[in-house]
Amino acid sequence: MDYSRLCRGGGDGHLEALTGDNIDLIAAHLDVTYTVRLAACSRELYDMISKDEGKMHHWDEPCLLMPPPAYWFDEHWDVARASRLHDTVYDLVPLDHPRRSVALPFMHDRKWLGANGDWIAAADHHEWCLVNVYTERHIPLPSLPDSKIHHSIVSYRPAYSFNWGPAIYLLKIVICQVPTKGGRYADYKLIALFDKTIFYLEGGGDWRMLEALTPAPDYPNYCDAIELRGHVFAVDETDGSTYFWDTANENPMLPFVIPPPVVDDQQYAWFLAPSADGKRLMIILTVNKIGIANAEVPPDIPYAANGLQLRQYPPVATYVFELDPLSTARAGDFLWRQVNSLSDHSLFLGLNYPIIANLKKRESKAPDGTLVPFMRKNCVYTAYRNIRYNQYPKILRCNLQPDEGETVGVISLPKDGWDSVRQAAMWFKPALNIARSVLPLKKQ
């Protein structure tokens, strides 16, 4: 499609001649990606749309990127396909405002594997790739080395075998560093996170497997990974131990091991994230299962603002710890420090690369003690942790400094039909400033 027709200049009725009200009307009927392209047509259009940002698209706040409601129910596959608007149009849902659509033509017959900023990692039956949401620039990725991983299936539940052994599962692609124009789109850094092994890739190179400390079949049970200051970190779901490798070495040695910050009999969901300044490693843990003692499920509370279904659950233990792993590695003394407050920030964790959002204008608690507004500062938001199965079925908001009796806010999505028709919801932050940095913003 020639998107330039949206913003054609010259003498045949270009968009800049329209009034502000008309621009608002046009933008209100466009999806998020087309609105950004419209803003890139001229500085005047950019100014008009950016001034209305609080009313329409809620730029720069994390939203849920998810399939449209036709995917949500236990319908026959053909019925679900027929009932949806288009198989490449998704919902982008601000947590307290009306949902909007987002067109992703490149997702036809693909499944997303992860995201960071404006880039999505996706796969079809033939290749993995990176694609920019707004420009649709496509970067094919090299295959994993066949000597290490046998590609038995590349599908909606990608299964592989390790050296022709038992099947292992791809959890997600971690986009640690996005490609940039200045780096000729070859400066990306990626982690292919499997449950039993990890591969690391720098643009222009080949995938490198990061060796584990334990031999087969006692591999770690990885659940999350990030890259920080030239090192790859991965946390073991079994006990919260964190492994890290120095990626500067062409052939990375066996990893250092950081003991978990908490040792008890509780089952936790573990996440990793960089600190807001990018210097320290944070580990986040929440109780893996939530519920009520008598097993009663709280009723759904429809949220008129965006159509999401909310629930209230009893408090869930949520902890955040941090350390400087590189300085402590030299000393051999890994001591986690508990973080009791994120101040004006909140963490958004899941299939996407961790988002640390500055929510200074938001409250940390609801004035009347209710679930809404759902977007708040000093909270940890967790969503689906991987692509392969619905192991973490609810999207949680946990306040790091809850009041006595404060409940956990939950966004509940139906589980039925997950394996056959629905992709994992993940956090995505729409950004209008991409019009200035990537798209060809015209000068007047």
Side-chain angles (χ1 to χ4, degrees), residues 17-32:
L18 296 174
T19 65
D21 289 343
N22 287 330
I23 291 298
D24 292 346
L25 183 62
I26 293 172
H29 287 81
L30 294 176
D31 86 296
V32 173

Side-chain angles (χ1 to χ4, degrees), residues 412-424:
S412 181
L413 302 182
K415 293 186 289 185
D416 293 336
W418 172 270
D419 276 337
S420 59
V421 296
R422 196 170 69 188
Q423 296 197 93

Side-chain angles (χ1 to χ4, degrees), residues 197-226:
T197 192
I198 295 176
F199 281 81
Y200 179 71
L201 174 67
E202 294 184 357
D206 295 317
W207 290 100
R208 293 184 285 161
M209 190 176 75
L210 304 182
E211 300 288 347
L213 282 173
T214 53
D218 298 320
Y219 296 112
N221 189 25
Y222 300 120
C223 60
D224 201 8
I226 64 168

